[in-house]
Short mmCIF file of all heavy atoms in Angstrom, two decimals:
data_model
loop_
_atom_site.label_atom_id
_atom_site.label_comp_id
_atom_site.label_asym_id
_atom_site.label_seq_id
_atom_site.Cartn_x
_atom_site.Cartn_y
_atom_site.Cartn_z
N VAL C 30 161.50 134.90 31.36
CA VAL C 30 161.97 133.77 30.56
C VAL C 30 160.78 132.92 30.08
O VAL C 30 160.89 132.20 29.09
CB VAL C 30 162.96 132.90 31.38
CG1 VAL C 30 163.54 131.79 30.53
CG2 VAL C 30 164.08 133.77 31.94
N GLY C 31 159.66 133.04 30.76
CA GLY C 31 158.49 132.29 30.36
C GLY C 31 158.50 130.86 30.86
O GLY C 31 158.09 129.93 30.16
N ILE C 32 159.00 130.65 32.06
CA ILE C 32 158.96 129.31 32.66
C ILE C 32 158.44 129.43 34.09
O ILE C 32 158.26 130.53 34.60
CB ILE C 32 160.36 128.64 32.69
CG1 ILE C 32 161.38 129.57 33.37
CG2 ILE C 32 160.81 128.29 31.28
CD1 ILE C 32 162.75 128.95 33.53
N ASP C 33 158.20 128.28 34.72
CA ASP C 33 157.70 128.26 36.10
C ASP C 33 158.73 128.79 37.09
O ASP C 33 159.92 128.62 36.88
CB ASP C 33 157.42 126.80 36.52
CG ASP C 33 156.10 126.33 35.99
OD1 ASP C 33 155.38 127.16 35.40
OD2 ASP C 33 155.80 125.13 36.16
N LYS C 34 158.22 129.33 38.18
CA LYS C 34 159.11 129.75 39.26
C LYS C 34 159.94 128.58 39.77
O LYS C 34 161.14 128.71 40.01
CB LYS C 34 158.29 130.33 40.42
CG LYS C 34 158.02 131.82 40.31
CD LYS C 34 157.14 132.31 41.43
CE LYS C 34 157.75 132.14 42.82
NZ LYS C 34 156.92 132.76 43.87
N SER C 35 159.30 127.43 39.90
CA SER C 35 160.03 126.29 40.46
C SER C 35 161.16 125.87 39.51
O SER C 35 162.24 125.50 39.95
CB SER C 35 159.07 125.11 40.70
OG SER C 35 158.48 124.73 39.47
N ARG C 36 160.90 125.99 38.22
CA ARG C 36 161.92 125.66 37.23
C ARG C 36 163.09 126.65 37.36
O ARG C 36 164.25 126.24 37.29
CB ARG C 36 161.29 125.73 35.83
CG ARG C 36 162.24 125.56 34.67
CD ARG C 36 162.55 124.10 34.40
NE ARG C 36 163.64 123.95 33.46
CZ ARG C 36 163.54 124.09 32.14
NH1 ARG C 36 162.36 124.35 31.59
NH2 ARG C 36 164.59 123.93 31.36
N VAL C 37 162.75 127.91 37.55
CA VAL C 37 163.81 128.92 37.72
C VAL C 37 164.70 128.55 38.90
O VAL C 37 165.93 128.58 38.80
CB VAL C 37 163.20 130.34 37.94
CG1 VAL C 37 164.28 131.35 38.31
CG2 VAL C 37 162.45 130.79 36.71
N ILE C 38 164.05 128.19 39.99
CA ILE C 38 164.82 127.85 41.20
C ILE C 38 165.72 126.64 40.95
O ILE C 38 166.91 126.65 41.28
CB ILE C 38 163.87 127.61 42.40
CG1 ILE C 38 163.19 128.95 42.76
CG2 ILE C 38 164.63 127.06 43.61
CD1 ILE C 38 162.13 128.83 43.83
N THR C 39 165.14 125.60 40.34
CA THR C 39 165.95 124.40 40.05
C THR C 39 167.16 124.76 39.21
O THR C 39 168.29 124.33 39.48
CB THR C 39 165.12 123.35 39.27
OG1 THR C 39 163.78 123.40 39.73
CG2 THR C 39 165.69 121.97 39.44
N GLU C 40 166.91 125.54 38.15
CA GLU C 40 168.00 125.90 37.25
C GLU C 40 169.08 126.71 37.98
O GLU C 40 170.28 126.48 37.81
CB GLU C 40 167.47 126.73 36.07
CG GLU C 40 166.64 125.94 35.06
CD GLU C 40 167.49 124.99 34.21
OE1 GLU C 40 168.73 125.18 34.15
OE2 GLU C 40 166.91 124.05 33.62
N LEU C 41 168.63 127.66 38.78
CA LEU C 41 169.60 128.50 39.49
C LEU C 41 170.41 127.68 40.49
O LEU C 41 171.61 127.90 40.65
CB LEU C 41 168.89 129.67 40.19
CG LEU C 41 168.40 130.78 39.24
CD1 LEU C 41 167.49 131.76 39.98
CD2 LEU C 41 169.59 131.54 38.65
N GLU C 42 169.74 126.74 41.12
CA GLU C 42 170.46 125.88 42.05
C GLU C 42 171.51 125.05 41.30
O GLU C 42 172.62 124.85 41.78
CB GLU C 42 169.48 124.96 42.80
CG GLU C 42 168.77 125.66 43.94
CD GLU C 42 167.61 124.86 44.52
OE1 GLU C 42 167.27 123.80 43.94
OE2 GLU C 42 167.05 125.30 45.54
N ARG C 43 171.11 124.61 40.12
CA ARG C 43 172.04 123.83 39.31
C ARG C 43 173.24 124.70 38.90
O ARG C 43 174.39 124.27 38.98
CB ARG C 43 171.31 123.31 38.06
CG ARG C 43 171.73 121.91 37.60
CD ARG C 43 170.91 121.44 36.42
NE ARG C 43 170.75 122.43 35.38
CZ ARG C 43 171.74 122.90 34.62
NH1 ARG C 43 172.97 122.46 34.80
NH2 ARG C 43 171.52 123.82 33.70
N ILE C 44 172.93 125.91 38.49
CA ILE C 44 174.02 126.83 38.11
C ILE C 44 174.95 127.07 39.30
O ILE C 44 176.18 127.03 39.17
CB ILE C 44 173.45 128.17 37.61
CG1 ILE C 44 172.70 127.95 36.28
CG2 ILE C 44 174.54 129.22 37.44
CD1 ILE C 44 171.88 129.14 35.83
N ALA C 45 174.34 127.27 40.47
CA ALA C 45 175.14 127.53 41.67
C ALA C 45 176.10 126.38 41.95
O ALA C 45 177.29 126.60 42.21
CB ALA C 45 174.22 127.76 42.87
N SER C 46 175.60 125.13 41.84
CA SER C 46 176.50 124.02 42.16
C SER C 46 177.52 123.82 41.04
O SER C 46 178.65 123.41 41.29
CB SER C 46 175.73 122.74 42.49
OG SER C 46 174.74 122.49 41.54
N GLN C 47 177.12 124.14 39.84
CA GLN C 47 178.07 124.05 38.73
C GLN C 47 179.24 125.03 38.93
O GLN C 47 180.41 124.68 38.77
CB GLN C 47 177.35 124.35 37.42
CG GLN C 47 178.18 124.05 36.17
CD GLN C 47 177.57 124.70 34.94
OE1 GLN C 47 176.38 125.02 34.92
NE2 GLN C 47 178.39 124.91 33.92
N TYR C 48 178.90 126.25 39.31
CA TYR C 48 179.94 127.26 39.59
C TYR C 48 180.89 126.73 40.66
O TYR C 48 182.10 126.89 40.58
CB TYR C 48 179.29 128.56 40.08
CG TYR C 48 178.91 129.52 38.99
CD1 TYR C 48 178.33 129.09 37.80
CD2 TYR C 48 179.14 130.89 39.14
CE1 TYR C 48 177.97 129.98 36.80
CE2 TYR C 48 178.79 131.79 38.15
CZ TYR C 48 178.20 131.34 36.99
OH TYR C 48 177.86 132.23 36.02
N GLU C 49 180.27 126.16 41.67
CA GLU C 49 181.02 125.62 42.79
C GLU C 49 182.01 124.55 42.31
O GLU C 49 183.21 124.62 42.55
CB GLU C 49 180.04 125.00 43.78
CG GLU C 49 180.58 124.79 45.17
CD GLU C 49 180.80 126.11 45.88
OE1 GLU C 49 179.96 127.02 45.73
OE2 GLU C 49 181.83 126.22 46.55
N GLU C 50 181.46 123.56 41.58
CA GLU C 50 182.27 122.44 41.12
C GLU C 50 183.40 122.86 40.21
O GLU C 50 184.51 122.35 40.29
CB GLU C 50 181.39 121.43 40.36
CG GLU C 50 180.58 120.52 41.27
CD GLU C 50 179.40 119.91 40.53
OE1 GLU C 50 179.50 119.73 39.29
OE2 GLU C 50 178.37 119.64 41.18
N GLU C 51 183.08 123.78 39.31
CA GLU C 51 184.08 124.19 38.34
C GLU C 51 185.09 125.17 38.92
O GLU C 51 185.99 125.61 38.23
CB GLU C 51 183.40 124.80 37.11
CG GLU C 51 182.58 123.79 36.33
CD GLU C 51 181.92 124.41 35.11
OE1 GLU C 51 182.14 125.62 34.85
OE2 GLU C 51 181.19 123.69 34.41
N GLY C 52 184.88 125.56 40.18
CA GLY C 52 185.80 126.50 40.80
C GLY C 52 185.82 127.84 40.09
O GLY C 52 186.89 128.43 39.88
N ARG C 53 184.63 128.31 39.71
CA ARG C 53 184.55 129.59 39.02
C ARG C 53 184.94 130.76 39.92
O ARG C 53 184.92 130.63 41.15
CB ARG C 53 183.09 129.83 38.56
CG ARG C 53 182.62 128.89 37.48
CD ARG C 53 182.90 129.45 36.11
NE ARG C 53 182.23 128.63 35.11
CZ ARG C 53 181.08 128.98 34.52
NH1 ARG C 53 180.50 130.13 34.83
NH2 ARG C 53 180.54 128.20 33.62
N ALA C 54 185.21 131.88 39.29
CA ALA C 54 185.59 133.08 40.05
C ALA C 54 184.44 133.57 40.91
O ALA C 54 184.65 134.08 42.01
CB ALA C 54 186.02 134.18 39.09
N LEU C 55 183.22 133.43 40.39
CA LEU C 55 182.07 133.96 41.10
C LEU C 55 181.26 132.83 41.69
O LEU C 55 181.46 131.67 41.35
CB LEU C 55 181.22 134.79 40.14
CG LEU C 55 181.98 135.95 39.50
CD1 LEU C 55 181.20 136.52 38.33
CD2 LEU C 55 182.28 137.03 40.53
N SER C 56 180.35 133.21 42.57
CA SER C 56 179.49 132.18 43.11
C SER C 56 178.05 132.68 43.11
O SER C 56 177.80 133.89 43.09
CB SER C 56 180.00 131.74 44.49
OG SER C 56 179.09 132.00 45.50
N VAL C 57 177.10 131.75 43.07
CA VAL C 57 175.69 132.13 43.03
C VAL C 57 175.06 131.73 44.36
O VAL C 57 175.16 130.58 44.78
CB VAL C 57 174.96 131.44 41.86
CG1 VAL C 57 173.46 131.74 41.90
CG2 VAL C 57 175.56 131.86 40.54
N GLN C 58 174.46 132.70 45.03
CA GLN C 58 173.91 132.46 46.37
C GLN C 58 172.43 132.76 46.39
O GLN C 58 171.97 133.72 45.78
CB GLN C 58 174.59 133.40 47.38
CG GLN C 58 176.09 133.27 47.46
CD GLN C 58 176.52 132.16 48.38
OE1 GLN C 58 175.81 131.82 49.31
NE2 GLN C 58 177.67 131.58 48.09
N GLN C 59 171.70 131.94 47.13
CA GLN C 59 170.28 132.19 47.29
C GLN C 59 170.04 132.96 48.58
O GLN C 59 170.59 132.63 49.63
CB GLN C 59 169.51 130.87 47.35
CG GLN C 59 168.01 131.09 47.55
CD GLN C 59 167.20 129.82 47.39
OE1 GLN C 59 167.75 128.73 47.34
NE2 GLN C 59 165.89 129.96 47.31
N PHE C 60 169.23 134.01 48.49
CA PHE C 60 168.78 134.71 49.69
C PHE C 60 167.27 134.82 49.59
O PHE C 60 166.76 135.75 48.95
CB PHE C 60 169.40 136.10 49.78
CG PHE C 60 170.91 136.08 49.79
CD1 PHE C 60 171.61 136.61 48.71
CD2 PHE C 60 171.60 135.55 50.85
CE1 PHE C 60 173.00 136.59 48.71
CE2 PHE C 60 173.00 135.54 50.85
CZ PHE C 60 173.69 136.06 49.78
N GLY C 61 166.58 133.89 50.16
CA GLY C 61 165.12 133.90 50.10
C GLY C 61 164.63 133.77 48.67
O GLY C 61 164.98 132.81 47.99
N GLU C 62 163.86 134.74 48.22
CA GLU C 62 163.26 134.68 46.90
C GLU C 62 164.14 135.30 45.81
O GLU C 62 163.65 135.59 44.72
CB GLU C 62 161.90 135.40 46.91
CG GLU C 62 160.79 134.59 47.56
CD GLU C 62 160.33 133.42 46.69
OE1 GLU C 62 159.61 133.68 45.72
OE2 GLU C 62 160.73 132.28 46.98
N SER C 63 165.38 135.56 46.15
CA SER C 63 166.24 136.08 45.10
C SER C 63 167.62 135.43 45.14
O SER C 63 168.04 134.86 46.15
CB SER C 63 166.34 137.60 45.19
OG SER C 63 167.15 137.98 46.26
N PHE C 64 168.27 135.48 44.03
CA PHE C 64 169.61 134.89 43.89
C PHE C 64 170.58 135.99 43.50
O PHE C 64 170.23 136.90 42.74
CB PHE C 64 169.60 133.81 42.80
CG PHE C 64 168.94 132.53 43.22
CD1 PHE C 64 167.56 132.45 43.37
CD2 PHE C 64 169.70 131.39 43.47
CE1 PHE C 64 166.94 131.26 43.75
CE2 PHE C 64 169.10 130.20 43.86
CZ PHE C 64 167.72 130.14 44.00
N LYS C 65 171.80 135.89 43.99
CA LYS C 65 172.81 136.89 43.64
C LYS C 65 174.09 136.24 43.18
O LYS C 65 174.49 135.20 43.69
CB LYS C 65 173.15 137.76 44.85
CG LYS C 65 172.21 138.90 45.07
CD LYS C 65 172.68 139.81 46.18
CE LYS C 65 171.52 140.69 46.60
NZ LYS C 65 171.88 141.58 47.71
N MET C 66 174.71 136.92 42.23
CA MET C 66 176.05 136.53 41.83
C MET C 66 176.98 137.32 42.76
O MET C 66 176.90 138.53 42.83
CB MET C 66 176.26 136.99 40.39
CG MET C 66 177.22 136.16 39.59
SD MET C 66 177.25 136.74 37.86
CE MET C 66 176.72 135.27 37.00
N VAL C 67 177.81 136.60 43.50
CA VAL C 67 178.71 137.30 44.42
C VAL C 67 180.14 136.82 44.22
O VAL C 67 180.39 135.75 43.66
CB VAL C 67 178.31 137.09 45.91
CG1 VAL C 67 176.92 137.63 46.18
CG2 VAL C 67 178.41 135.63 46.29
N THR C 68 181.08 137.61 44.70
CA THR C 68 182.48 137.22 44.59
C THR C 68 182.80 136.22 45.70
O THR C 68 182.03 136.05 46.63
CB THR C 68 183.39 138.45 44.75
OG1 THR C 68 183.17 139.00 46.05
CG2 THR C 68 183.08 139.50 43.70
N ARG C 69 183.94 135.57 45.57
CA ARG C 69 184.31 134.61 46.61
C ARG C 69 185.10 135.29 47.71
O ARG C 69 185.89 136.19 47.47
CB ARG C 69 185.14 133.48 45.98
CG ARG C 69 184.25 132.39 45.41
CD ARG C 69 184.91 131.57 44.35
NE ARG C 69 186.20 131.00 44.77
CZ ARG C 69 186.89 130.15 44.01
NH1 ARG C 69 186.43 129.80 42.82
NH2 ARG C 69 188.03 129.69 44.43
N ALA C 70 184.83 134.82 48.95
CA ALA C 70 185.45 135.44 50.12
C ALA C 70 186.97 135.50 49.99
O ALA C 70 187.60 136.48 50.38
CB ALA C 70 185.05 134.69 51.38
N GLU C 71 187.56 134.45 49.43
CA GLU C 71 189.02 134.41 49.37
C GLU C 71 189.64 135.51 48.51
O GLU C 71 190.82 135.80 48.64
CB GLU C 71 189.46 133.03 48.87
CG GLU C 71 188.90 132.72 47.49
CD GLU C 71 188.82 131.21 47.22
OE1 GLU C 71 189.85 130.60 46.92
OE2 GLU C 71 187.70 130.70 47.34
N PHE C 72 188.83 136.10 47.62
CA PHE C 72 189.39 137.18 46.78
C PHE C 72 189.00 138.56 47.28
O PHE C 72 189.24 139.56 46.60
CB PHE C 72 188.94 137.00 45.33
CG PHE C 72 189.37 135.69 44.73
CD1 PHE C 72 188.49 134.94 43.98
CD2 PHE C 72 190.67 135.22 44.91
CE1 PHE C 72 188.88 133.72 43.43
CE2 PHE C 72 191.07 134.01 44.36
CZ PHE C 72 190.17 133.25 43.62
N SER C 73 188.36 138.61 48.46
CA SER C 73 187.81 139.89 48.91
C SER C 73 188.89 140.96 49.06
O SER C 73 188.65 142.13 48.81
CB SER C 73 187.05 139.71 50.22
OG SER C 73 187.91 139.30 51.24
N GLU C 74 190.11 140.56 49.43
CA GLU C 74 191.14 141.58 49.61
C GLU C 74 191.46 142.31 48.30
O GLU C 74 191.76 143.50 48.31
CB GLU C 74 192.42 140.98 50.21
CG GLU C 74 193.09 139.96 49.31
CD GLU C 74 194.48 139.56 49.82
OE1 GLU C 74 195.38 140.41 49.87
OE2 GLU C 74 194.62 138.39 50.16
#
Side-chain angles (χ1 to χ4, degrees):
Chain C
V30 185
I32 54 176
D33 280 354
K34 271 176 62 174
S35 60
R36 174 81 191 281
V37 172
I38 293 174
T39 325
E40 289 288 341
L41 286 170
E42 281 169 353
R43 216 176 46 67
I44 293 169
S46 48
Q47 190 195 339
Y48 271 42
E49 199 69 40
E50 280 160 28
E51 294 181 2
R53 293 270 190 101
L55 302 167
S56 118
V57 175
Q58 302 276 333
Q59 179 171 12
F60 302 113
E62 283 287 284
S63 74
F64 285 72
K65 276 187 196 178
M66 209 175 240
V67 299
T68 61
R69 274 157 54 174
E71 59 204 282
F72 300 135
S73 64
E74 64 170 295

